[in-house]
Amino acid sequence: MKQEIQFVLNGEQVFADVDPQWTLLYLLRNVFGYTGAKKGCGVGECGACTVIVDGEATNSCLYPVLEVEGRHVTTIEGVAAPDGTLHPIQQAFIENNGVQCGYCTAGMIMSAKALLDQKPDPTEEEIRTAIAGNICRCTGYVQIVESIQMAAARMKQ
Amino acid sequence: MAYKDTMSAEAISALGGAVEELLHIGKGAPRTAEIDKVTGKAVYIDEYQRPGMLHGKILYSKHAHARISSINTDKAKALPGVRAVLTGYDVPDVRVGFLGDQTLLKRDVVRQYRDEVAAVAAITPEIAEEACRLIEVEYEPLPAVFDPLEAMKPDAPLVHEVDARGRPLRSNILPLPWKLTAGDVEKAKAESAYVVKDEASTTWINQCCMGTSGCVAEFDSNNNLTFVSLTNVVFGAKGRIASYLDNIGLKRKRIRVLNPVVGGSFGTKLDTDIYEFICIQLALQTRKPVKLQFSRDEEFFALPPRQAARFTIEQGCDKDGHLTFRKCEAILDNGAYTSWGATTPSVMMLPMSSMYRVPNVLFQATCVYTNNIYSQAMRGYGNPQAAFALETSMDHLAEVAGFDPADFRMINRNQPGDVTPMECKITTCPLDRCITAVREKIDWDQKRGKGNGRGVGMASLIHVAGGARIYMSDGTGIRIKVTENGELDVISGSTDQGQGSPTVMAQIIAEATGFMPEDVNMIFGDSALGLWDAGTHASRHTFVAGNAAVRAGAQVKQQILELAVQYIPKLVKSALKKQKRKNPDFVEPELDYSLIDSPEKMDIKNRFIFPKAEPDHPYFRMEARDVVRRGLHVGTGESKHVVAEVFWDPPTQMLNAEMKGNYSCTYAFGAAGVEVEVDKETGEVKILNLVSAHDVGRAVNPILVKGQVYGAAYQGVGMGLSERVQVVEGKVVNGNFRDYKILTAKDTFPVEAVIVEDPDPAGPYGAKGIGEPGLVPTAPAIANAVYDAVGVRILDLPITPEKVLAALKAKGE
Ligand code: FES
Ligand code: FES
């Protein structure tokens, strides 16, 4: 039995008929075609599916779809400006090799954005804690952390 | 045998000229070409869709070794939404794989838990999975063998009764000729002042690509196949699929292999995996496009990990610390079938014979069938396993002979001009600078030898860095087309797996042609468009494709300059005429057209053609694209397109029957230094500092080079301390990220990547390959640091707290 839910997705009011069994990740990928969030594990262990729900970085693969009702969801597709100008975090990832294969990147950027939205001037420790749930096999995290620092510095200006 | 220097320094420097001032090489160009990865638009296999596409799933064995007594697929077939259910009885009995030791679906006997028993195609992945659950299989368990040493015994259960040609087998030992000898090891041993002997072992490591494996197969109405695959060897994959299709009766079909964006590779994409053949078979059966993508679970138990290996290594030196001999026997757990893991000894041989100057060498590797998971390649391809045995033994020998381990490495370091016992020709070799950099940056002389729970350790590496001739061709093709708008559409026969090739290649091509990196549009991973390529493996892409690109770029530049000789005068004259028409008072300048009357007198930089004698010439300095466009529109029979293609195969040798030969154009060296703190109560090893210094020839893009080193070094730390696929009686029991520990951003320690530049005459602008080296020396450096800290040598990876505690206890602490 499908149920209708209503929520705000990347700034737009949206409706969807959902199967209560679905996860938010399934809804985003299969109904809305927002495929930036990835199913790296499906069980909350890798962070590739991270999106922002009401300001918090969230593993969408575990998030029951009915709970989305009335909330604000931001995905990687909603991070750049409407004219396509990259968000400073995205820009820094491109400039400082924060992205290699890119599979973890959407989730990584969402975790970083949730942090910087709340805390514009985080310590390295806070950055590392914020992305602790996002596994990256390619980079060793060094240039990801640097990219986030670079973005934070630029956003302050 | 004495150690010979056969190439003089002059001979080496004559290999390459001075590199003039570079505009794009050496710059940290951004990865703008991959912008879709930061906006969520990149299309991985996860997103790849075709109209009417079905989803495939595989049913695996429930036993490590068993006879299949019955399979019933009736319920699965009856499930609504199911379009095909295949077992070994529904597919042709055709063998695949490196030694042809398996079929797609196993019909009589299963030999490991990951054996594919049946496969389903359905309209959704969920239905396909449900159908797999409905397939009933009955097994009669057979005696199994899980320890390669047990498996080598004459009375061990046989994993395979017959070989690929149906001839009976009497042993689990594979008929692979991994043996390299040089000099006289026994004589050298007898004459050595000091000798050590150790046993070291490494275990299975999952590559843990963040994107899971998958593919899409689709046949057109002529039975031609389009196969979307994550392969890093598009032409190798094409060849393997072609012979499979040939064997099932689809002769001479067209096969096009395409790459989507790839979510990590690290060796997993080298072989064509069984799931890929199964997907093709499902597509053939259903006449629909079929996607098959692994879950994380499958990624752990159904994908071949890094080969587990055991080494017995002996080394000796004279009283001055010069190595006299090295003898190493390796036993590799092959698992139940053979993929590229069985060929990793061809790379183990390189460090075993050629790391440091050692005149007498014996290396032998035996691959043994067991009922465990079978193995394949992972970053470093056998080198990390061998380096672990070798570099821990180096420390042991240094201690016995009374040398500081860093000094001991310096005494024995490789040097330019060396020809190693494997007949590898060492051209550039700044190993001394790498060791010295590590020594300084890790504060070696202050921190070593305290034995107070903190310690430092070091290890070096050698790796192929100028291609690796493992096939008769180690070539790569590049085609550069300059469009009328001044863009460079470049088709490479190789693949991009996220290592940054679109950026690095754009820098190389911009440098070679005179255009800008942002003008270059790289197209990878398409067997129909690209020229042949041996594959993006063995850290070879920047070196081999880069060399092809330098050559193709030079041709492009030459073509444009030839057009310039012809058309710049015409363009200038017509512009002047136009001006004159507009303004009758305009006085035409006297121009010296001899400045541009031959291509040699001109150059192109940052998109502009100019006379070398007067780079800012007000009339002759012209955008290259204007000339290219003019050349395209000349008139009947005269128009020309600027396009060049080069297939470049490096001047290297295939290993001969004795396993010797210069199989790479050049070799990369490096060293890692680690400082650790060991908690004697818990056995926990904490990394306090990691320095990884690498000979990169020249860093085409220093930011990207560092990224390769950091990423690889972290994988090396995982190998050293935490990563192991736990296989219990053939079954993977820790197939998830909770139980299989790879490093997270919280596992933090200072890490420094030191780039040592010594431009290699054979490299594109001096570059060497650097994809794999960062991983190689990390784990042994950790083991050596643990010894320095608490005096126990843990020679079985990973170095877990339990092993440290057990060793401390055995030592009486
Ligand atoms: S897919 Fe959600 S955490 Fe891995
Ligand atoms: S960039 Fe590949 S997993 Fe992070």
Side-chain angles (χ1 to χ4, degrees), chain B residues 710-759:
Chain B
Y710 292 138
Y714 268 68
Q715 290 179 353
V717 172
M719 178 179 183
L721 294 181
S722 62
E723 289 188 41
R724 72 178 139 179
V725 179
Q726 280 175 287
V727 182
V728 177
E729 306 246 295
K731 194 175 175 99
V732 173
V733 297
N734 64 339
N736 59 66
F737 286 130
R738 244 174 314 114
D739 301 323
Y740 185 94
K741 295 276 182 231
I742 75 175
L743 270 63
T744 75
K746 284 294 270 179
D747 300 308
T748 168
F749 43 83
V751 41
E752 186 174 356
V754 182
I755 297 179
V756 175
E757 289 197 302
D758 182 6

Side-chain angles (χ1 to χ4, degrees), chain A residues 45 90 97 100 103 141, chain B residues 31 37-38 46 738 743:
Chain A
E45 292 170 2
Q90 293 172 313
N97 206 25
Q100 287 192 28
Y103 199 87
Y141 309 100
Chain B
R31 297 178 72 135
K37 291 181 178 177
V38 300
D46 312 49
R738 244 174 314 114
L743 270 63

Side-chain angles (χ1 to χ4, degrees), chain A residues 26 29-30 35-43 45-46 48 76-77 79-80 84 86 89-91 93-106 109 124-125 127-129 131-143 145-146, chain B residues 28-32 34-35 37-40 42 44 46-47 126 205-212 261-264 266 293 296 378-379 497-499 703-704 706-708 710-712 714-715 723 736-738 740 742-748 751:
Chain A
Y26 186 94
R29 290 184 60 89
N30 296 298
T35 55
K38 298 279 184 276
K39 186 173 173 181
C41 69
V43 290
E45 292 170 2
C46 76
I76 189 69
E77 290 86 353
V79 172
L86 294 185
I89 304 177
Q90 293 172 313
Q91 185 63 34
F93 269 60
I94 288 288
E95 285 178 27
N96 193 53
N97 206 25
V99 52
Q100 287 192 28
C101 83
Y103 199 87
C104 71
T105 306
I109 290 176
E124 177 176 341
E125 177 73 22
I127 292 174
R128 286 185 174 271
T129 305
I131 60 167
N134 297 84
I135 296 179
C136 176
R137 187 56 153 172
C138 299
T139 64
Y141 309 100
V142 180
Q143 290 171 318
V145 173
E146 286 173 1
Chain B
R31 297 178 72 135
T32 314
E34 292 158 276
I35 193 166
K37 291 181 178 177
V38 300
T39 56
Y44 295 80
D46 312 49
E47 287 77 38
E126 293 77 18
I205 295 190
N206 189 277
Q207 296 84 350
C208 291
C209 299
M210 291 313 295
T212 58
V261 179
V262 177
F266 311 123
Q293 189 172 7
R296 179 56 58 188
M378 184 178 173
R379 201 175 201 169
Q497 302 143 107
Q499 71 273 36
I703 298 181
L704 267 59
K706 284 193 174 173
Q708 288 299 308
Y710 292 138
Y714 268 68
Q715 290 179 353
E723 289 188 41
N736 59 66
F737 286 130
R738 244 174 314 114
Y740 185 94
I742 75 175
L743 270 63
T744 75
K746 284 294 270 179
D747 300 308
T748 168
V751 41

